[in-house]
Amino acid sequence: MAASSSPRLLLPLLLSSVCLCGFGSSVLGSKAAGGPAAESPGPPGLRAAGPPDQGAPVAAAAPADDAAAVTSSSSSSSNSSTSSASSAAVAAVSAAVAGASPPRRATGWKLSEEAACQGDLSRLCPEHTWTNNLAVLECLQDRREESEIAPDCNHLLWNYKLNLTTDPAFESVAVDVCRGAIAEIKECGEEERGRGYLVSCLVDHRGNMSDYQCNQYVTKMASVVFSDYRLVCGFTDACRGAINTLHCGRLGAGPTDVHSQGEVIACLEKALVREAELGDPARPIREECRRAILRVAELSSDDFHLDRHLYFSCRDDRERFCQNTQAGEGKVYKCLFNHKFEEAMSDKCRDALTTRQKLISQDYRVSYSLAKACKADLRKQRCSLEAGLPRAREARLSYLLLCLEAAVHRGRPVGGECQAEMLDYRRMLMEDFSLSPEIVLHCRAEIEAHCSGLHRKGRTLHCLMRAGRGDRSAAVDAVCQSALQTLIQSADPGADYRIDRALNEACEAVIQTACKHIRNGDPMILSCLMEHLYTEKMVEDCEHRLLELQYFISRDWKLDPVLYKKCQGDAARLCHTHGWNETGELMPPGAVFSCLYRHAYRTEGQGRRLSRDCKVEVKRILHQRALDVKLDPDLQKRCMTDLGKWCSEKTDAGQELECLQDHLEDLVSACREVVGNLTELESEDVQIDALLVRACEAVTQVYCHDIADIQIDTGDLMECLVQNKHQKEMNDKCAVGVTHFQLVQMKDFRFSYKFKTACKEDVLRLCPNIKKKVDVVLCLSSTVKNDTLQEAREQRVSLKCRKQLRVEELEMSEDIRLEPELYDPCKSDISRLCPNVAFGNAQMVECLKEQKKQLSQRCHQRIFRLQEVEMTDPELDYQLMRVCKQMIKRFCSEADAHSVLLCLKQNKNSELMDPKCKQMITKRQITQNTDYRLNPVLRKACRADIPKFCQPILNKENDDSELEGQVVSCLKTKYADQLSPDCEDQIRMILQESALDYRLDPQLQMHCTDEISRLCVEEAAAQEQTGQVEECLKVNLLKLQQEACRKEVLTMLKESKADIFVDPVLHTACALDLKRHCAAVTPGRGRQMSCLMEALQDKRVRLQPECKKRLQDRIDMWSYAAKVAPAEGFSDLAVQVMTSPSKHYLLLMIALSVCVLFLVGLLCGRITKQVTRELKDR
C-alpha cells in the first residue's frame, strides 16, 4: 500500500526481534503477545547487530530527531497535547545525539535532502511526507522490491534504519513517553537500561498498554523499522548456516542490496515447512534458527506489512478483497485467508498465505488473533502443562485445538472469542490438507495416486478420506490413516458441519430442505443428514461427503459432541474411559461406542445400564451407522476378509450387512460373532435397520402405528410387520426386507428377540447345544406334542414359551425358505415345477403340493410330512388360514384350533361360504382322502378297524408317501355292517362328500380320469359339486372302456345301495318321498333305500315321478352290477341280499332252504342210527 502518515495499529512484537534485544530477556527469549505463561527460551548466543558501515552516508542526528518525530506524530494523532516532560526529554535526547555526531548534521537532518534519494522521493512519495523521515522511509520501503530505487538510496535507507535500532537515545525517549506503562508493567521497569532491552519489553507488552501515546510510539517503530532480517537481533547468527546452505541470500550489505530482505525470511520459512512435510532427519535448519524463524513470524502476526514477502505478494489482493479491512490485530491476514481459494486470488499471494498458515500449524502464536483470544483459556485449561510432552508440541495448533475442544466437550467454560478463533482455524485445516505436515508427509503416495489436482476447498482431504474408508481400490497406509484421524480430531467437524467446506457446499440444498428446522451450525445437522441418507431428499455428492466424514467420526466417540456430552459419565463408569489418554491416541477405534451400545440393550436383570439420555443418544447413532458397515469400526476390522470374499459385489446401501448375515455360517469366528451380536440387537430394535423402517413406513402407519409410537421396541414392530407382510400397503422393498430378516432369524434363535426372551430357559434345559432357530422350534414343538399325547401331568415347556412357539411356527409356515429342512430338498423341484411362483403367502408350498406326484422322492417325503402336521394342526396351514380367515371368524370362532378344518368342512356348502374358501377346503379334503394318516379324525375313529380290515394295505405302507385312498376304499367296503360306530360315521361323511365331488375319491379319480375327459367333459368343466360327474359315469357304465374305472363305478353303485345319502342325485330326487314314507326309518345300512324300494313295489304308494325314474334306473344298474361283478365273498353276498329289492323273498327262500336241509339232516341221522343199532345186534 501507499505510505501513510497515520500510525499503524497494534501488530505482533516485531520490534522485540530487532537489535534492541539481547540474550536472556531479549524479545526472542521473552513471552509472546498472546501465548501461555511459559515460553521456550530464545536462541542462545544472540547479540546486537554490528555498527553501520563506515563508508555509509552518515545520519547522526537522525535518531533523536526521528524519535521526536515519532512522539510528535503520536501526539498529533491524539486529542491531548504532548506533555512538557516529553518535550524536554526529546530535546535532551536530540542534544545528546547531536553531541555525539559529526558537526555538519547536528540538527534537522532530513532523508529528503540526501541527493541519493531525492530522485526516487520526488517520483514515488507525496510531497507532504518529505518533512518526516519516518514517513519517507515508510513510503520507500513499501515499494515493490523490483521497483527502480537507486542502489545508493537503498544503502542509505538500510544504514539509517540500523542507526535507529542501535542508538540508545530511543530508550530515553521510551522512558519519557512510556513512563506510565513502565510503572504498570513490572517486568519492563526491572530491565537494565542502556542496552535496548526496555523498548523490547514494551513491545512485548504492547497489548496491555493503556497509554495511547506509548502504544503509538512502539507501533510506529515496529511498522517502519523492522523490514530486514539483518536488523533482527541475533537472527543472522542463529540462521547464518541455514541461509548459506539453503541459498536463501547474501549476508553482507553491498551497494546492490535492496533495502528489504523479506525474501530471505520467506525462503527460510518455506524451508522450515518443507522440512516438517518431508520428515527430513538431517534437519538443515538448527533448532535455534527454527525458533528464530517462528519468532519472526510471530512478531509479524499483528500487521501483515511486517511480513514483507507476504505484503508484496498480496498487496493487490488486499486491495481487491480486503480494502475495507483495517490493519492490525491480524485482521488483514484473516481476511486474506478467507479468500484464499477465490478464483481472483493470485497464485503468488495464495502461496504466501499457505506458507504462513503452515507456520501457524507449527506454532499457534504465529496467529495473533488466536494467541490473544485463547491466552486465558489456555492457562485456565492447563493446556501447556501436560507432563511428558515436548515443549514444541505444546505450541502446535493441533494440540491447542485438541486441548480446548476437549474442555468444550466436557462442559468447561471456554471464551466465546477463543471458540470463534478455533472455528476459523478448524475450518482452515479442513480446507487445505497441506497445512497438516503429517498429511503431506505420510499421505504423499495416496495423494499422487488418487487425489492429484483436487487441492482446493477440502477436496483433496475428502478424496483421502474416501480412500481411507475403503471406497478406492488401493488401501491407505496405516500411518496415513492415523494422520487423517488426527487431523479430523483437531478440526472436529462433528461439532459444526460448516468447518468442512466440501461437506457444507455439497449438502447445502439438503440442509435447506430436510434440516431447516435445526439452527445453523448445530451438531444435530449431521444427525439430520444421516437420517435422510439414502432418501429421495439426499443428493449423491452430499451422500459421499457425509459418509467420508462419518467414517472418521465413528472411530472417535468424542467427535460426536452430543454423544460425548450425554454419555461421558456412563463411559467412565461402564467403559473405563478415564484410563485412556485424553487425546484418544491409545483408544481403540470405536471401542467406547461399542461398549456403550452393548450396555444400551441390557435389561435390569443383566446388570448395569446406561442413563436414559445416553441410551437414547446411543440408539440414535446406532440406527444411523447401521446403514453402512464401514461406520462400525469393530465390524469392518473383523469382517474385512469376509467382505472381500463374499460381498465384493454388494455395493448398494445396506447390502453389505445383509450379505454378511446371509453368509453367517461361512464367516470367520470373529466376524460371525460381531455380525451375530448386531443382528441380535436388530431383532430387539428394528430401527437399527433404518432402510427397512423407511421402506415399511406405509404399512407401519396403517397396521403398526400403536407399536411404532412406543419408544421402547422389544421385537413387537417386526412381529407386526411379519403378520401384515401381505397387506396391500406392503411394497416390494418392505416385503423383501421383512422376509430377509425372517430368513436371518432362522440361523440362530437369539436373532428372534421375543422368542429368545420367552424360551431361553426352556432351550437351555430341553434343547441344549442347539443353535439354529428351526431346530430349536422343532425340538420344543416335539416336546410339547409328546407331552400332549402322553397326557403328561405338567408340560415341560413353559406357557409363555408355548405361546411364542406358536407364533414362530405360524411365521415359518408362510415361506418355504423359513424351513430349511423342507426348502433344501425341494430346491431343484422349485426351479423345475414352480419357477414363476412367489415364495411368500405359502404360494410355493401350495405349488409343490399341487405338483406332488411329479416331485423328487426327498421333496415328496418332506411335503407329505408337512401335510401330516398341517392336517393335525390346521393353524399351521398358512394358505387355509389366510384364504378362510373371514369364514373362520363367521363359522368357527368358538371352534378349537385343531378343529378348524373340520368346522369349515361342516359349513362348506353354506350359502354364506366364500367361494375361494370353499375351493381351499375342497383341496384339503382331496389331500386328506389320499391317505388316512392325513385325516386325524378318521385315524382316531378307525384306529381299531383299520388294522382289522386293511392290514394287507398297511403292510405296504411307506412312511413318507400316500396310499392313494386305499385304506379309505377298504373301509368303504366294510361300511354296511362291520365297522365300529365312530368309524362308520366318518366313512359315511367321506362317502357323502365324495359322492358330490369325484375328486374326493382318489381311486375313482386315478382310474377314471381318461373316461371322464371322454364321456363327462361338460359335467367336469362345470365344477359343480352336486355329483353330476358320478352320475355321468353311472349312466355311461356300459360305455366305460377301462376295467379299473368300471370296477370303481360298480363299487360306487354298491355303496349307494348301502345308504341313499351316498347317491346325491337319487337323494335329491326322492327327498320328499323320504320324508313322506320313510321318515321313521333310521338312516344307514340301506334301511332308507329298502324303504323306498318297498314303496316302489307297493301299488298303493305313489312316488314322485323323478324319484320313481331314478329308482328304476338304480335297480337296472344294480342288476347289471350283479351280473358283471358277482359277490367276491360271503360278506359281499350278504350285502347284496340285504340291499336287494327282493330282500324278503330271498330271505324267505334262504330260510326254507335251511329248514329243508335241517329236516333232511334229521331224517338221515335217524336212518344211520338204526343201521348202526342193527349191526350191533348182529
Side-chain angles (χ1 to χ4, degrees):
M1 293 181 61
S4 173
S5 60
S6 62
R8 301 278 179 207
L9 293 177
L10 182 63
L11 304 174
L13 315 174
L14 183 60
L15 184 59
S16 60
S17 62
V18 300
C19 294
L20 297 176
C21 63
F23 179 68
S25 61
S26 67
V27 174
L28 282 174
S30 64
K31 292 172 284 188
E39 295 293 344
S40 56
L46 295 180
R47 60 180 184 276
D53 295 344
Q54 296 300 319
V58 180
D65 291 339
D66 290 327
V70 172
T71 56
S72 175
S73 175
S74 301
S75 290
S76 63
S77 301
S78 62
N79 294 327
S80 59
S81 60
T82 307
S83 64
S84 57
S86 297
S87 301
V90 170
V93 171
S94 299
V97 175
S101 304
R104 71 181 184 91
R105 300 278 187 203
T107 59
W109 179 83
K110 302 295 181 185
L111 275 172
S112 58
E113 297 175 358
E114 292 293 329
C117 292
Q118 283 182 348
D120 298 309
L121 187 65
S122 60
R123 179 167 53 88
L124 301 174
C125 301
E127 187 174 351
H128 70 270
T129 63
W130 294 1
T131 58
N132 190 321
N133 287 346
L134 298 180
V136 171
L137 179 61
E138 183 178 14
C139 169
L140 292 178
Q141 78 171 9
D142 279 356
R143 294 296 168 185
R144 294 185 183 276
E145 293 181 313
E146 59 266 22
S147 299
E148 294 181 359
I149 298 178
D152 288 344
C153 182
N154 279 332
H155 202 52
L156 175 66
L157 292 175
W158 188 82
N159 278 282
Y160 171 72
K161 290 185 289 185
L162 185 60
N163 285 332
L164 282 178
T165 61
T166 56
D167 200 309
F170 273 91
E171 186 172 287
S172 300
V173 176
V175 169
D176 183 63
V177 176
C178 298
R179 187 182 306 277
I182 295 172
E184 292 176 3
I185 304 170
K186 184 178 179 180
E187 294 91 333
C188 297
E190 296 174 353
E191 293 289 357
E192 182 181 353
R193 305 301 168 85
R195 299 185 61 184
Y197 295 161
L198 177 62
V199 176
S200 171
C201 179
L202 289 173
V203 173
D204 265 349
H205 292 83
R206 187 171 37 168
N208 299 324
M209 291 180 181
S210 58
D211 190 327
Y212 181 78
Q213 279 188 317
C214 179
N215 191 301
Q216 291 302 309
Y217 167 74
V218 176
T219 300
K220 192 70 176 177
M221 290 300 298
S223 64
V224 173
V225 176
F226 306 109
S227 59
D228 196 310
Y229 76 95
R230 289 168 298 182
L231 303 178
V232 178
C233 178
F235 185 87
T236 301
D237 292 337
C239 296
R240 183 185 305 274
I243 293 173
N244 291 328
T245 302
L246 299 170
H247 306 288
C248 288
R250 293 188 299 113
L251 295 175
T256 60
D257 286 334
V258 294
H259 65 275
S260 176
Q261 291 275 317
E263 291 295 338
V264 176
I265 295 180
C267 173
L268 291 173
E269 289 175 344
K270 291 179 180 178
L272 181 62
V273 168
R274 188 165 58 251
E275 179 182 284
E277 292 176 348
L278 296 177
D280 188 359
R283 299 182 65 85
I285 300 178
R286 295 183 302 168
E287 182 62 25
E288 56 268 28
C289 179
R290 188 189 73 83
R291 288 200 296 266
I293 294 170
L294 290 174
R295 184 59 175 164
V296 168
E298 177 188 348
L299 298 173
S300 63
S301 64
D302 185 7
D303 191 338
F304 90 116
H305 292 83
L306 304 182
D307 187 332
R308 305 305 294 173
H309 172 70
L310 188 144
Y311 169 73
F312 286 120
S313 299
C314 297
R315 188 157 53 175
D316 292 340
D317 298 282
R318 189 266 170 93
E319 293 294 330
R320 185 180 301 113
F321 297 111
C322 310
Q323 185 176 8
N324 298 322
T325 302
Q326 188 177 10
E329 298 185 353
K331 294 178 180 179
V332 176
Y333 284 125
K334 291 186 68 173
C335 175
L336 291 173
F337 288 159
N338 291 335
H339 292 86
K340 174 180 170 181
F341 290 114
E342 298 287 345
E343 295 294 335
M345 175 70 71
S346 66
D347 292 337
K348 188 174 182 181
C349 179
R350 185 180 293 114
D351 291 342
L353 291 172
T354 300
T355 299
R356 186 157 194 91
Q357 287 177 320
K358 291 178 179 179
L359 292 174
I360 294 174
S361 295
Q362 294 196 35
D363 191 337
Y364 72 92
R365 291 166 296 194
V366 177
S367 170
Y368 174 85
S369 57
L370 180 64
K372 179 182 178 183
C374 296
K375 179 180 180 180
D377 295 293
L378 288 169
R379 185 183 298 111
K380 186 186 303 181
Q381 304 304 333
R382 304 174 65 85
C383 291
S384 59
L385 301 177
E386 290 288 343
L389 294 178
R391 304 293 292 182
R393 179 176 174 178
E394 297 176 8
R396 294 292 298 271
L397 176 63
S398 59
Y399 180 77
L400 174 145
L401 293 175
L402 284 173
C403 180
L404 293 180
E405 285 162 9
V408 172
H409 291 330
R410 289 194 298 268
R412 298 176 183 175
V414 174
E417 291 185 7
C418 180
Q419 290 197 47
E421 288 294 327
M422 290 167 59
L423 182 66
D424 289 338
Y425 283 96
R426 284 154 55 194
R427 184 184 294 114
M428 179 186 78
L429 290 175
M430 288 295 293
E431 281 188 351
D432 191 347
F433 78 95
S434 65
L435 304 185
S436 302
E438 294 84 3
I439 298 291
V440 178
L441 173 62
H442 300 303
C443 300
R444 182 179 292 107
E446 287 80 2
I447 293 173
E448 293 176 355
H450 305 299
C451 310
S452 59
L454 299 173
H455 181 73
R456 298 184 178 184
K457 301 181 181 180
R459 294 173 188 166
T460 302
L461 182 59
H462 266 277
C463 175
L464 286 172
M465 291 161 66
R466 182 163 63 253
R469 76 184 299 270
D471 288 354
R472 295 276 187 170
S473 57
V476 172
D477 182 80
V479 182
C480 175
Q481 187 88 353
S482 176
L484 285 169
Q485 187 69 42
T486 301
L487 174 60
I488 300 300
Q489 289 172 339
S490 302
D492 194 16
D496 190 336
Y497 73 97
R498 296 172 298 179
I499 292 171
D500 189 340
R501 183 170 179 178
L503 174 70
N504 189 15
E505 292 181 357
C507 297
E508 184 176 3
V510 182
I511 294 171
Q512 292 301 321
T513 55
C515 309
K516 59 184 178 182
H517 60 286
I518 303 177
R519 179 178 56 84
N520 198 24
D522 193 288
M524 292 305 292
I525 289 285
L526 283 180
S527 177
C528 175
L529 290 174
M530 286 297 294
E531 289 173 0
H532 289 85
L533 193 63
Y534 305 125
T535 65
E536 57 184 14
K537 292 185 178 180
M538 179 60 64
V539 296
E540 184 178 4
D541 196 28
C542 176
E543 176 185 309
H544 292 323
R545 303 295 86 76
L546 180 62
L547 288 175
E548 289 155 10
L549 177 60
Q550 285 289 348
Y551 175 83
F552 289 90
I553 290 179
S554 67
R555 276 145 180 79
D556 186 349
W557 75 299
K558 296 195 298 296
L559 294 179
D560 189 318
V562 181
L563 174 68
Y564 186 81
K565 179 180 179 181
K566 293 185 178 181
C567 294
Q568 54 181 324
D570 296 272
R573 176 170 55 91
L574 300 173
C575 307
H576 311 292
T577 54
H578 56 270
W580 277 316
N581 188 295
E582 190 62 45
T583 62
E585 289 184 359
L586 304 179
M587 195 178 299
V592 175
F593 186 71
S594 296
C595 169
L596 290 174
Y597 82 64
R598 283 195 299 272
H599 285 85
Y601 290 91
R602 284 190 171 184
T603 61
E604 293 183 2
Q606 292 176 322
R608 295 179 294 177
R609 304 171 66 193
L610 298 182
S611 62
R612 183 179 180 277
D613 289 344
C614 179
K615 182 177 181 179
V616 171
E617 192 62 24
V618 168
K619 287 190 173 184
R620 173 186 69 82
I621 296 175
L622 184 60
H623 296 165
Q624 295 172 358
R625 293 182 182 175
L627 291 168
D628 192 325
V629 296
K630 296 183 179 68
L631 300 184
D632 188 332
D634 191 31
L635 188 147
Q636 188 190 29
K637 178 182 178 181
R638 297 193 190 189
C639 298
M640 188 174 297
T641 303
D642 290 302
L643 283 169
K645 183 177 182 180
W646 304 108
C647 311
S648 58
E649 298 180 357
K650 305 292 184 179
T651 57
D652 291 344
Q655 284 190 341
E656 287 180 314
L657 180 57
E658 290 183 359
C659 173
L660 290 174
Q661 291 172 333
D662 291 339
H663 292 87
L664 188 66
E665 299 87 348
D666 304 318
L667 305 180
V668 298
S669 58
C671 179
R672 184 166 58 249
E673 179 184 3
V674 69
V675 173
N677 291 338
L678 183 58
T679 307
E680 188 174 355
L681 293 181
E682 193 176 334
S683 71
E684 178 181 356
D685 184 3
V686 72
Q687 299 288 341
I688 293 176
D689 193 342
L691 294 178
L692 175 63
V693 173
R694 292 173 191 168
C696 298
E697 186 174 359
V699 72
T700 301
Q701 291 301 320
V702 177
Y703 299 102
C704 312
H705 59 90
D706 293 338
I707 300 172
D709 292 340
I710 301 175
Q711 294 295 324
I712 301 175
D713 181 15
T714 55
D716 294 318
L717 181 55
M718 177 56 71
E719 186 175 286
C720 178
L721 291 174
V722 170
Q723 293 171 353
N724 295 279
K725 190 167 68 170
H726 300 287
Q727 299 292 348
K728 61 181 180 180
E729 290 82 6
M730 179 68 70
N731 55 64
D732 292 341
K733 285 187 177 180
C734 180
V736 169
V738 172
T739 301
H740 173 267
F741 192 79
Q742 288 180 281
L743 294 173
V744 171
Q745 283 184 327
M746 304 313 296
K747 298 176 183 294
D748 194 320
F749 80 95
R750 297 180 300 119
F751 298 165
S752 178
Y753 177 76
K754 300 195 76 173
F755 182 61
K756 176 190 70 174
T757 304
C759 297
K760 187 174 182 179
E761 294 179 0
D762 299 271
V763 172
L764 294 175
R765 179 166 45 87
L766 301 172
C767 310
N769 304 321
I770 299 179
K771 194 171 185 180
K772 287 187 176 181
K773 180 180 175 181
V774 63
D775 296 332
V776 172
V777 170
L778 183 61
C779 171
L780 293 176
S781 299
S782 301
T783 304
V784 173
K785 179 181 177 181
N786 293 334
D787 289 347
T788 303
L789 293 176
Q790 296 171 8
E791 299 181 354
R793 180 179 301 177
E794 184 178 352
Q795 287 275 359
R796 287 176 289 173
V797 179
S798 63
L799 178 60
K800 63 177 181 178
C801 181
R802 292 202 304 271
K803 290 181 178 180
Q804 190 60 35
L805 184 62
R806 168 59 52 167
V807 174
E808 301 300 332
E809 289 174 333
L810 293 176
E811 289 182 5
M812 289 168 60
S813 66
E814 184 268 336
D815 193 324
I816 189 174
R817 293 172 296 179
L818 301 180
E819 298 189 62
E821 290 189 351
L822 175 62
Y823 178 57
D824 293 339
C826 294
K827 280 184 179 179
S828 59
D829 300 274
I830 289 172
S831 59
R832 179 170 54 89
L833 301 172
C834 309
N836 300 318
V837 178
F839 282 98
N841 263 339
Q843 295 177 77
M844 186 61 68
V845 173
E846 198 66 23
C847 175
L848 294 174
K849 289 177 182 178
E850 292 172 357
Q851 306 279 347
K852 63 180 179 182
K853 291 185 179 180
Q854 304 177 49
L855 298 178
S856 62
Q857 183 180 0
R858 289 185 62 219
C859 182
H860 190 280
Q861 291 172 352
R862 297 295 182 181
I863 291 294
F864 180 80
R865 291 180 184 175
L866 173 66
Q867 289 179 319
E868 190 174 3
V869 172
E870 289 178 347
M871 293 304 175
T872 304
D873 190 352
E875 268 195 329
L876 300 180
D877 189 340
Y878 187 88
Q879 276 281 31
L880 176 70
M881 301 303 292
R882 183 183 70 85
V883 174
C884 296
K885 183 177 181 180
Q886 297 302 323
M887 296 301 100
I888 292 173
K889 290 182 179 179
R890 174 174 293 173
F891 297 111
C892 310
S893 58
E894 297 181 0
D896 180 71
H898 295 277
S899 305
V900 170
L901 181 56
L902 179 61
C903 173
L904 289 173
K905 289 194 295 184
Q906 292 171 349
N907 294 277
K908 172 184 172 183
N909 296 315
S910 170
E911 293 180 355
L912 299 176
M913 178 59 69
D914 177 65
K916 291 184 178 179
C917 178
K918 185 176 182 179
Q919 184 179 6
M920 182 57 65
I921 296 170
T922 301
K923 284 185 177 181
R924 296 302 178 256
Q925 288 179 294
I926 294 172
T927 300
Q928 282 189 327
N929 290 345
T930 59
D931 196 300
Y932 77 99
R933 291 168 294 180
L934 301 180
N935 191 336
V937 179
L938 174 67
R939 188 175 186 177
K940 181 178 180 181
C942 301
R943 59 179 177 271
D945 302 85
I946 292 174
K948 179 179 179 181
F949 300 111
C950 309
Q951 188 61 47
I953 299 174
L954 297 182
N955 293 336
K956 298 183 293 183
E957 178 182 302
N958 189 318
D959 291 338
D960 302 313
S961 62
E962 296 84 349
L963 295 172
E964 298 299 340
Q966 295 180 56
V967 172
V968 176
S969 296
C970 169
L971 293 174
K972 285 179 182 179
T973 62
K974 312 299 179 184
Y975 166 66
D977 57 1
Q978 299 184 49
L979 299 179
S980 61
D982 290 342
C983 185
E984 183 178 332
D985 291 341
Q986 290 301 315
I987 293 299
R988 181 187 303 112
M989 290 178 60
I990 292 174
L991 288 171
Q992 291 172 357
E993 292 166 352
S994 58
L996 293 171
D997 190 342
Y998 77 98
R999 295 172 298 174
L1000 300 184
D1001 188 337
Q1003 291 292 310
L1004 179 66
Q1005 184 181 23
M1006 181 171 61
H1007 297 304
C1008 296
T1009 301
D1010 295 337
E1011 301 288 2
I1012 292 173
S1013 61
R1014 184 171 62 87
L1015 300 171
C1016 309
V1017 178
E1018 294 183 2
E1019 291 81 354
Q1023 292 187 349
E1024 295 180 1
Q1025 299 176 9
T1026 56
Q1028 293 302 317
V1029 175
E1030 290 88 338
E1031 186 67 18
C1032 173
L1033 290 172
K1034 293 175 183 177
V1035 171
N1036 293 282
L1037 179 60
L1038 299 176
K1039 298 179 182 180
L1040 298 179
Q1041 298 176 356
Q1042 296 184 9
E1043 186 63 30
C1045 180
R1046 185 184 298 113
K1047 184 177 179 181
E1048 288 299 323
V1049 175
L1050 291 172
T1051 303
M1052 188 166 51
L1053 285 170
K1054 293 179 184 179
E1055 294 166 356
S1056 65
K1057 291 173 68 177
D1059 198 327
I1060 192 172
F1061 289 100
V1062 179
D1063 192 336
V1065 176
L1066 179 62
H1067 183 265
T1068 303
C1070 299
L1072 291 175
D1073 295 296
L1074 282 172
K1075 289 183 179 179
R1076 184 180 301 163
H1077 305 294
C1078 306
V1081 178
T1082 305
R1085 303 201 177 187
R1087 289 186 286 264
Q1088 288 187 333
M1089 184 66 74
S1090 298
C1091 175
L1092 286 175
M1093 290 298 181
E1094 291 175 359
L1096 178 63
Q1097 293 175 358
D1098 192 342
K1099 303 295 184 179
R1100 296 171 297 173
V1101 177
R1102 295 177 60 86
L1103 298 176
Q1104 294 292 322
E1106 182 67 21
C1107 178
K1108 188 175 182 179
K1109 179 180 180 300
R1110 292 292 181 184
L1111 277 174
Q1112 193 61 52
D1113 291 341
R1114 293 299 183 268
I1115 292 172
D1116 295 340
M1117 292 178 187
W1118 292 332
S1119 299
Y1120 176 76
K1123 294 178 182 178
V1124 299
E1128 298 178 356
F1130 183 78
S1131 59
D1132 283 348
L1133 180 62
V1135 171
Q1136 289 183 11
V1137 170
M1138 294 303 296
T1139 58
S1140 171
S1142 305
K1143 177 177 68 172
H1144 297 295
Y1145 172 76
L1146 293 173
L1147 290 176
L1148 180 60
M1149 290 291 98
I1150 293 172
L1152 290 174
S1153 301
V1154 171
C1155 291
V1156 171
L1157 288 174
F1158 177 74
L1159 291 175
V1160 171
L1162 183 60
L1163 180 61
C1164 292
R1166 286 186 174 273
I1167 295 172
T1168 57
K1169 187 176 181 181
Q1170 291 178 357
V1171 173
T1172 305
R1173 185 177 298 167
E1174 290 177 356
L1175 290 174
K1176 286 183 178 181
D1177 293 341
R1178 292 179 183 177

